[in-house]
Amino acid sequence: MSLIALISDFGEKDWFVGELKGVLYSIAPHTTIVDITHQIPPGDIRKAAFNLLASYKSFPKESIFCVAVSISTKTDCRSIVARTDNYTFIGPDNGVLSWVIPNDKHPIWCIENEFYIRKHPSSTFQARDIFGPAAAHISKGINPDILGPQITDIIRIPFPLPSVSPDKLEGEIIHIDSFGNAITNIRFSDLKTLKSPINTCNLDNRFDIPIKSQYQEVSHLERLCYVGSAGFMEIAVRDGDGASMMKIAAGQKVVIR
Amino acid sequence: MSLIALISDFGEKDWFVGELKGVLYSIAPHTTIVDITHQIPPGDIRKAAFNLLASYKSFPKESIFCVAVSISTKTDCRSIVARTDNYTFIGPDNGVLSWVIPNDKHPIWCIENEFYIRKHPSSTFQARDIFGPAAAHISKGINPDILGPQITDIIRIPFPLPSVSPDKLEGEIIHIDSFGNAITNIRFSDLKTLKSPINTCNLDNRFDIPIKSQYQEVSHLERLCYVGSAGFMEIAVRDGDGASMMKIAAGQKVVIR
Amino acid sequence: MSLIALISDFGEKDWFVGELKGVLYSIAPHTTIVDITHQIPPGDIRKAAFNLLASYKSFPKESIFCVAVSISTKTDCRSIVARTDNYTFIGPDNGVLSWVIPNDKHPIWCIENEFYIRKHPSSTFQARDIFGPAAAHISKGINPDILGPQITDIIRIPFPLPSVSPDKLEGEIIHIDSFGNAITNIRFSDLKTLKSPINTCNLDNRFDIPIKSQYQEVSHLERLCYVGSAGFMEIAVRDGDGASMMKIAAGQKVVIR
């Protein structure tokens, strides 16, 4: 039984997550379910895509990720399954999975076989009616080929790659976590492309922030930029909520040099 | 081992849900636990009853539902177990279970056997001390007869049924979900009683809202009424928070005709 | 497989809890994981310590508690494992575990063996990189001796014991729960030290609150003091949010006599 990990914008005030799990356990009673988060803002596809990108590599091989985030204008979009060497991803064809299946070499299926879809599916709860049953059946070992035809024309949202030049990296803030740490789109591995040693990160033309290897290298309430746990450069304030203190918002530009 | 599903008003800031699960796993180490929601407003019995009603049919047969929502004036109320053909329900005798055990043909027990109650039970944490142990023992297969006597005089809260006439259905808003969709007490199946085709839902004498089969039939930010995933008619705004935009509150009247 | 219970200040908006569970299940696929709470305010070591103290005794014997709450000034602190007769506790050496390992008779280890630490650990996510792998390996049965040397010089935060005299107990508010009940540091068992019967709890020199055995002994919206489910005396308002209504804050003094 493969583990099933969930990301959604359902929140936790209603029964939606619980009902989805009821469906999963009805089909695959011995599976293991992990909540990544259900607090994606409604329809925020990029935030869901980033939560998935930031976490999926820490899951056991053969894990199945079920991502239920879509905007209502897109409830007519296809339901897809993608399989990489180690993982299976299930969700709507709206780009939410594209940061973990960045190219076409991995097979992608469109879920169409009604045998694996809830009878009388609702018009609004794809996760319960389509993604969930597919995830549970895959957890039990079915071959995705049985779910529907392979497709290659899925919607892809390009990951906002930083601009790389020999002396600097230009990127942007892509996520602010609940501690107020601001995560950029610049990976630690991108730093290797620079010819000269780096020592500062300019944020939004407002702050020059020193690059450090850990919090302890700066004093209480001082700013720093460091390699975050997801492998991206992050901006923070030691012992403080950096995003609030520096009024950081997603999309603000950063330049590391 | 039957699955145990939980509904409570404990929130997630304290240790209450975790401690309850500690009790469940102490007695039934191999059970499976699902959180439906723990964010019922304190003592909101109707909201808990609706969360249970809306979700329980998606759970595996033999699932056990443990509902811990009561108002402090009622902590002296009995703890009950009810069993239907497919499910077992455990909670306080305050009406919270009555929408899923709507008649007297199913057996109901009062939990009195101290062997199955925590030693030195607290005066406030029935879920940990009474409901939880009962749920865990039932998950392991005990017969509810051993927990206490059968009773028939439980408190019932009538489900607010809509008023049905040949040309219209009159109901009310009973739940607003975290997306801002407003769920009415009118079931899709109620629509069959109407002699004439329906096409509009009047909300609170303020809005006439078209009935559609899915979001895609209206434009961005337009209102619609449709069959929601729980089988009830819902009012929403495409791509928006309908409840905020239309100032919808539970109890407002709706008329479908 | 021992159960692993989690306390953190990660919140539920990001992927941190999910990623930690991915690590746990990667190492110990058949373990059981329970969330106690992830809503500890960032770095609030005392609140985390109290959540652990209040709940741990309800968990199965051999459970492993993984507590990930630290302040950024302390990310250089040691990672420790402590084992009592019934439980194993894992977390940072910042005092967060000290209320459940109150003396030196139980063994404590410092996690140093890199084989049991994530390769290329981050500077910020000790739970994923150190505590989690240790918890999962202990769940599978390894002896903590293999993780690192035994130590005895851990940081201890003294539990704020009440002042006991023959005619009164002087304590303070140490936690306010999500219902607005205010928990004091005076245990029910402390009451036995008093020579005379108790009947009132003075709060903050502002209120004299009657001591009752349950809510039903006072009227709607009246104040009371009673033995809470964690064994500490609590102050509440029947059917109300006592902490808001009486403007109670942690640290306010209480005198029971």
Side-chain angles (χ1 to χ4, degrees):
Chain A
M1 283 284 175
S2 304
L3 182 155
I4 300 171
L6 307 175
I7 294 176
S8 81
D9 56 2
F10 298 161
E12 277 124 8
K13 288 192 178 172
D14 300 296
W15 60 87
F16 305 136
V17 175
E19 188 178 7
L20 169 57
K21 291 180 183 174
V23 168
L24 295 172
Y25 284 126
S26 293
I27 296 168
H30 301 293
T31 196
T32 298
I33 302 174
V34 172
D35 300 300
I36 298 179
T37 182
H38 298 289
Q39 295 189 18
I40 302 294
D44 191 334
I45 292 170
R46 284 169 179 273
K47 185 148 289 191
F50 188 70
N51 270 268
L52 179 60
L53 175 65
S55 62
Y56 79 104
K57 289 182 183 170
S58 290
F59 281 81
K61 287 190 182 183
E62 303 197 5
S63 289
I64 299 157
F65 296 85
C66 183
V67 184
V69 176
S70 52
I71 47 177
S72 57
T73 49
K74 290 291 183 188
T75 49
D76 55 345
C77 82
R78 299 182 295 188
S79 300
I80 61 174
V81 175
R83 180 162 273 179
T84 62
D85 292 346
N86 292 330
Y87 301 112
T88 301
F89 302 95
I90 301 175
D93 178 23
N94 61 13
V96 75
L97 302 181
S98 53
W99 294 356
V100 292
I101 43 170
N103 60 52
D104 284 335
K105 78 177 190 194
H106 302 295
I108 299 170
W109 297 265
C110 179
I111 305 173
E112 292 184 356
N113 186 339
E114 292 187 0
F115 182 81
Y116 294 98
I117 294 175
R118 185 186 178 100
K119 302 292 169 243
H120 311 297
S122 69
S123 67
T124 54
F125 201 172
Q126 281 179 294
R128 180 193 67 183
D129 300 345
I130 305 176
F131 309 152
H137 284 290
I138 291 172
S139 173
K140 288 174 73 178
I142 68 156
N143 186 319
D145 273 333
I146 207 171
L147 296 174
Q150 282 203 28
I151 56 175
T152 55
D153 58 339
I154 66 163
I155 291 175
R156 292 181 182 281
I157 297 174
F159 183 81
L161 290 172
S163 160
V164 179
S165 44
D167 66 332
K168 65 182 176 184
L169 289 159
E170 296 177 277
E172 64 185 89
I173 301 298
I174 52 173
H175 182 79
I176 293 170
D177 75 19
S178 57
F179 294 99
N181 301 330
I183 303 178
T184 76
N185 62 337
I186 300 173
R187 291 172 202 263
F188 175 60
S189 54
D190 294 329
L191 302 184
K192 295 172 192 161
T193 62
L194 294 175
K195 301 291 187 201
S196 46
I198 58 166
N199 50 42
T200 189
C201 175
N202 179 278
L203 168 66
D204 195 34
N205 285 317
R206 295 185 292 128
F207 299 101
D208 278 311
I209 300 168
I211 293 171
K212 300 291 182 182
S213 63
Q214 51 182 325
Y215 279 95
Q216 289 83 332
E217 295 177 17
V218 300
S219 301
H220 181 64
L221 297 182
E222 277 192 346
R223 302 174 193 121
L224 76 158
C225 177
Y226 59 96
V227 184
S229 64
F232 295 91
M233 301 305 293
E234 295 183 17
I235 292 169
V237 163
R238 180 173 174 172
D239 310 328
D241 179 332
S244 295
M245 293 167 75
M246 289 186 269
K247 299 191 194 308
I248 308 179
Q252 288 180 0
K253 298 300 174 196
V254 294
V255 181
I256 287 179
R257 72 175 85 216
Chain B
M1 283 284 175
S2 304
L3 181 154
I4 300 171
L6 306 176
I7 294 176
S8 81
D9 57 2
F10 298 161
E12 277 123 9
K13 288 192 180 173
D14 300 296
W15 59 87
F16 305 137
V17 175
E19 189 178 8
L20 169 57
K21 292 180 183 174
V23 168
L24 295 171
Y25 284 126
S26 293
I27 296 168
H30 301 294
T31 195
T32 298
I33 302 174
V34 172
D35 300 301
I36 297 179
T37 182
H38 297 289
Q39 295 189 17
I40 301 295
D44 191 334
I45 292 170
R46 284 170 179 272
K47 185 148 288 190
F50 189 70
N51 271 268
L52 179 60
L53 175 65
S55 62
Y56 79 104
K57 289 182 183 169
S58 290
F59 281 81
K61 287 190 182 183
E62 303 196 5
S63 289
I64 299 158
F65 296 85
C66 183
V67 184
V69 176
S70 53
I71 48 177
S72 58
T73 49
K74 290 291 182 188
T75 50
D76 54 345
C77 82
R78 299 182 295 187
S79 300
I80 61 174
V81 175
R83 180 162 274 178
T84 62
D85 292 346
N86 292 329
Y87 300 113
T88 301
F89 302 96
I90 302 175
D93 178 23
N94 62 12
V96 74
L97 302 181
S98 53
W99 294 356
V100 292
I101 43 170
N103 60 53
D104 284 335
K105 78 177 191 194
H106 302 294
I108 299 170
W109 296 265
C110 179
I111 306 173
E112 292 183 356
N113 186 338
E114 291 187 0
F115 182 81
Y116 294 98
I117 294 175
R118 186 186 177 100
K119 303 293 169 242
H120 311 297
S122 69
S123 66
T124 54
F125 201 173
Q126 281 180 294
R128 180 193 67 183
D129 300 345
I130 306 176
F131 308 152
H137 284 291
I138 291 172
S139 173
K140 288 174 74 178
I142 68 156
N143 186 320
D145 273 332
I146 207 170
L147 296 174
Q150 282 203 28
I151 56 175
T152 55
D153 58 339
I154 65 162
I155 292 174
R156 291 182 183 281
I157 297 174
F159 183 81
L161 290 172
S163 160
V164 179
S165 44
D167 66 332
K168 65 182 176 185
L169 289 159
E170 295 178 276
E172 64 185 89
I173 301 299
I174 52 173
H175 183 79
I176 293 170
D177 75 19
S178 58
F179 295 99
N181 302 329
I183 303 179
T184 76
N185 63 337
I186 300 173
R187 290 171 202 264
F188 175 60
S189 54
D190 294 329
L191 302 184
K192 295 172 192 161
T193 62
L194 294 175
K195 301 291 186 201
S196 46
I198 58 166
N199 50 42
T200 189
C201 175
N202 179 278
L203 168 66
D204 195 34
N205 285 317
R206 296 185 293 128
F207 299 101
D208 279 311
I209 300 168
I211 293 172
K212 300 291 182 183
S213 63
Q214 51 182 325
Y215 279 94
Q216 289 83 333
E217 295 176 17
V218 300
S219 301
H220 181 64
L221 296 182
E222 277 193 346
R223 303 174 193 121
L224 77 158
C225 177
Y226 59 96
V227 184
S229 64
F232 294 92
M233 301 304 293
E234 295 183 17
I235 292 169
V237 163
R238 180 173 174 171
D239 310 328
D241 179 331
S244 294
M245 293 167 75
M246 290 186 269
K247 299 190 195 308
I248 308 180
Q252 288 180 0
K253 299 299 174 195
V254 294
V255 181
I256 286 179
R257 72 176 84 216
Chain C
M1 283 284 175
S2 304
L3 182 154
I4 300 171
L6 307 175
I7 294 177
S8 81
D9 57 2
F10 298 161
E12 277 124 8
K13 288 192 179 171
D14 299 296
W15 59 87
F16 305 137
V17 175
E19 188 178 7
L20 169 57
K21 292 180 183 174
V23 168
L24 295 171
Y25 284 125
S26 293
I27 297 167
H30 302 294
T31 196
T32 298
I33 302 173
V34 172
D35 300 300
I36 297 179
T37 182
H38 297 289
Q39 296 189 17
I40 301 295
D44 191 334
I45 292 170
R46 284 169 180 273
K47 185 148 288 191
F50 188 70
N51 271 267
L52 179 60
L53 175 64
S55 63
Y56 79 105
K57 289 182 182 169
S58 290
F59 281 81
K61 287 190 182 182
E62 303 197 6
S63 289
I64 299 157
F65 296 85
C66 183
V67 184
V69 176
S70 53
I71 47 177
S72 57
T73 49
K74 290 290 183 188
T75 49
D76 55 345
C77 82
R78 298 181 296 188
S79 300
I80 61 174
V81 175
R83 179 162 274 178
T84 62
D85 292 346
N86 292 329
Y87 301 113
T88 301
F89 302 96
I90 302 174
D93 178 23
N94 61 13
V96 75
L97 303 181
S98 53
W99 294 356
V100 292
I101 43 170
N103 59 52
D104 284 335
K105 78 177 191 194
H106 302 295
I108 299 170
W109 296 265
C110 179
I111 305 173
E112 292 183 356
N113 185 339
E114 292 187 0
F115 182 81
Y116 294 98
I117 294 175
R118 185 187 177 101
K119 303 292 169 242
H120 311 297
S122 69
S123 67
T124 54
F125 201 173
Q126 281 180 294
R128 180 193 66 183
D129 300 345
I130 306 176
F131 309 152
H137 284 290
I138 291 172
S139 173
K140 288 174 74 178
I142 69 156
N143 186 320
D145 273 332
I146 207 171
L147 295 174
Q150 283 203 28
I151 56 175
T152 55
D153 58 340
I154 65 163
I155 292 175
R156 292 182 182 281
I157 297 174
F159 183 81
L161 290 172
S163 160
V164 178
S165 44
D167 65 333
K168 65 182 175 184
L169 290 160
E170 296 177 276
E172 63 185 90
I173 301 299
I174 52 173
H175 182 79
I176 293 170
D177 75 19
S178 57
F179 295 99
N181 302 329
I183 303 179
T184 76
N185 63 336
I186 300 174
R187 291 171 202 263
F188 175 60
S189 54
D190 293 329
L191 302 184
K192 295 172 192 161
T193 62
L194 294 175
K195 301 291 187 200
S196 47
I198 58 166
N199 50 42
T200 189
C201 176
N202 179 279
L203 168 66
D204 195 33
N205 285 316
R206 295 185 293 128
F207 300 101
D208 278 311
I209 300 168
I211 293 171
K212 300 291 182 183
S213 63
Q214 51 182 327
Y215 279 94
Q216 290 83 333
E217 295 176 17
V218 299
S219 301
H220 181 64
L221 297 182
E222 277 193 346
R223 303 174 193 121
L224 76 159
C225 177
Y226 59 96
V227 184
S229 64
F232 295 91
M233 301 305 293
E234 295 183 16
I235 292 169
V237 163
R238 180 172 175 173
D239 310 328
D241 179 331
S244 294
M245 293 167 75
M246 290 186 268
K247 299 190 195 308
I248 308 179
Q252 288 180 0
K253 298 300 174 196
V254 294
V255 181
I256 287 179
R257 71 176 85 216

